[in-house]
Amino acid sequence: MRRDFCDGVGIARLLNATLVLPKFEVAAYWNESSGFADVFDVNYFIKQMSGFVKVVRELPPEISSKEPFRVDCSKRKGQFDYIESVLPSLLKHHYISITPAMSQRRDRYPQYAKAALCQGCYSALRLTKSLEKKANELLEAIPKPFLALHLRFEPDMVAYSQCQYSGLSPTSIEAIEAARGDDRKPWTGEAARIWRKRGKCPLIPNETAFILQAISVPTNTNIYLAAGDGLMEIEGLTSIYTNVVTKSALLSGEDFKSMHGNTKAALDYYVSINSDSYVATYFGNMDKMVAAMRAFKGLYKTLFLSRRAFSEFTSEGLEGKQLMKALWKVHKEDFVMGRGSALPDCFCEFKL
């Protein structure tokens, strides 16, 4: 959501449009119901965007009863031009909603749009005061120094990947099958082998632990687990790395128990940015944004574990010390300044 909203800021400036604060979609799986103002400091954002993009909290009365004209940009391929493709709809309907295009080239934005996007992402979006206070409370409670590990192995995520796994517990298998639905059947046969070899399958926690050992992360390392509820097979990690802490263990007050998924994710985001090192088992939106922000702040030790390398080596029959040595060679040069792809590197260097 943060990434899409950053894109929305840049697009609004490109189109010389007024930006309406978004309403978050309800996520059925997490029973989510929090809004933009539950996560971000609205007054601060509007003030910081003054002179870049006009922002309003609500629609003006004359169009508040209308449904926006929806422009779907998500499936566009190649270079996408918002001025050519979206501006005509805005001028005609006056009120539109868009799905940002994943294929857009933000580095080709004109300077004024880059400035707005940079301001929105890196300077104007901050957590609410109460949420930032809770995030700092969590940060203080974590034993130092520590590694933040963004581990992805939840039922919906595994189901979405369409991968099959052997050796999972009956509870995990049942949870994955319940999350699959009819349109996410797992790949089988040669298609499954190719899919896995391309690095499309999430790492199981014990595979993550194996790679961490291969890259010489000591087993007594303090690890903060940045992960959502419902994480499966976690014993595969905690049986090897015994100093693993979670936000639910460190924050047990009633205010934490009443938090939604978005606000809990914001805690993970804040801690991950401010960790001594950050390791992700996936290359999702949060990972991209964390890496971009860590790079912007000049922080080092950001690493994405290679699912593709792990799959290729294991399919070749490597195991034990041979597998560890091969994984070490793949990762040894990557544990450096984060290179976030959520925004081009040039944005990190852009001075307002």
Side-chain angles (χ1 to χ4, degrees):
M1 287 182 285
R2 183 186 179 100
R3 186 213 63 197
D4 284 350
F5 188 62
C6 288
D7 282 342
V9 169
I11 296 163
R13 183 64 187 93
L14 270 176
L15 305 181
N16 196 27
T18 296
L19 183 69
V20 183
L21 289 180
K23 290 180 170 59
F24 292 164
E25 290 183 357
V26 175
Y29 183 84
W30 299 115
N31 194 27
E32 184 59 82
S33 60
S34 58
F36 184 86
D38 295 311
V39 179
F40 299 112
D41 187 330
V42 173
N43 291 333
Y44 182 81
F45 178 77
I46 294 175
K47 182 179 179 181
Q48 290 295 307
M49 292 311 302
S50 178
F52 292 92
V53 172
K54 183 180 179 182
V55 181
V56 296
R57 295 169 180 268
E58 301 287 346
L59 289 165
E62 60 269 22
I63 59 172
S64 59
S65 61
K66 292 171 53 179
E67 284 293 315
F69 180 80
R70 301 188 182 278
V71 183
D72 185 5
C73 313
S74 61
K75 297 179 181 179
R76 307 282 181 168
K77 301 297 181 182
Q79 186 177 350
F80 185 75
D81 192 312
Y82 283 95
I83 295 177
E84 288 183 3
S85 304
V86 180
L87 184 57
S89 296
L90 177 64
L91 295 175
K92 179 180 179 181
H93 298 281
H94 306 293
Y95 171 35
I96 66 172
S97 69
I98 65 169
T99 304
M102 297 296 289
S103 59
Q104 67 175 299
R105 290 294 303 272
R106 303 170 188 86
D107 56 332
R108 294 179 182 172
Y109 278 6
Q111 199 80 332
Y112 60 84
K114 283 185 180 181
L117 198 155
C118 187
Q119 176 73 0
C121 268
Y122 293 117
S123 301
L125 275 179
R126 75 177 185 187
L127 302 182
T128 64
K129 291 181 179 178
S130 61
L131 192 53
E132 188 168 304
K133 181 181 178 181
K134 183 61 67 177
N136 276 313
E137 180 184 332
L138 176 57
L139 193 60
E140 287 296 318
I142 301 171
K144 310 295 189 300
F146 75 97
L147 179 154
L149 175 65
H150 190 207
L151 189 61
R152 300 300 314 274
F153 203 71
E154 302 92 349
D156 63 324
M157 195 257 193
V158 176
Y160 184 81
S161 74
Q162 295 181 271
C163 295
Q164 291 196 76
Y165 295 87
S166 60
L168 299 185
S169 69
T171 303
S172 296
I173 294 172
E174 184 179 344
I176 294 168
E177 290 303 316
R180 281 200 194 281
D182 296 327
D183 58 342
R184 285 290 171 185
K185 297 299 181 184
W187 296 107
T188 58
E190 181 64 11
R193 188 191 68 80
I194 293 172
W195 191 248
R196 178 172 292 278
K197 197 169 182 180
R198 287 173 59 191
K200 298 294 185 179
C201 298
L203 292 169
I204 306 173
N206 65 354
E207 295 173 338
T208 298
F210 186 89
I211 300 176
L212 292 179
Q213 287 178 288
I215 60 176
S216 301
V217 176
T219 55
N220 63 349
T221 300
N222 295 316
I223 295 178
Y224 171 77
L225 195 59
D229 300 326
L231 195 63
M232 303 180 297
E233 306 290 320
I234 188 59
E235 297 81 8
L237 173 74
T238 56
S239 62
I240 298 171
Y241 286 88
T242 53
N243 295 334
V244 176
V245 295
T246 63
K247 53 185 172 295
S248 58
L250 297 174
L251 298 175
S252 57
E254 288 300 318
D255 54 343
F256 173 73
K257 293 178 182 178
S258 63
M259 291 176 72
H260 293 287
N262 286 331
T263 44
K264 288 181 179 179
L267 295 180
D268 285 341
Y269 176 78
Y270 187 92
V271 169
S272 295
I273 289 172
N274 292 286
S275 61
D276 297 291
S277 54
Y278 177 74
V279 174
T281 64
Y282 205 71
F283 195 49
N285 292 320
M286 174 174 160
D287 307 308
K288 295 171 185 176
M289 294 301 295
V290 168
M293 186 59 76
R294 285 176 66 85
F296 179 71
K297 296 177 70 172
L299 298 174
Y300 291 80
K301 296 186 179 178
T302 301
L303 178 66
F304 297 100
L305 301 187
S306 176
R307 290 167 291 149
R308 174 175 291 193
F310 187 85
S311 298
E312 286 182 352
F313 294 149
T314 52
S315 69
E316 293 169 4
L318 295 186
E319 58 185 16
K321 291 183 178 180
Q322 273 190 317
L323 179 57
M324 281 194 169
K325 186 176 180 179
L327 289 168
W328 165 248
K329 288 181 178 179
V330 167
H331 291 95
K332 68 178 182 178
E333 300 297 333
D334 291 340
F335 206 47
V336 291
M337 181 182 287
R339 299 293 183 188
S341 70
L343 300 173
D345 291 342
C346 63
F347 281 21
C348 298
E349 300 163 5
F350 186 80
K351 303 299 182 184
L352 298 178

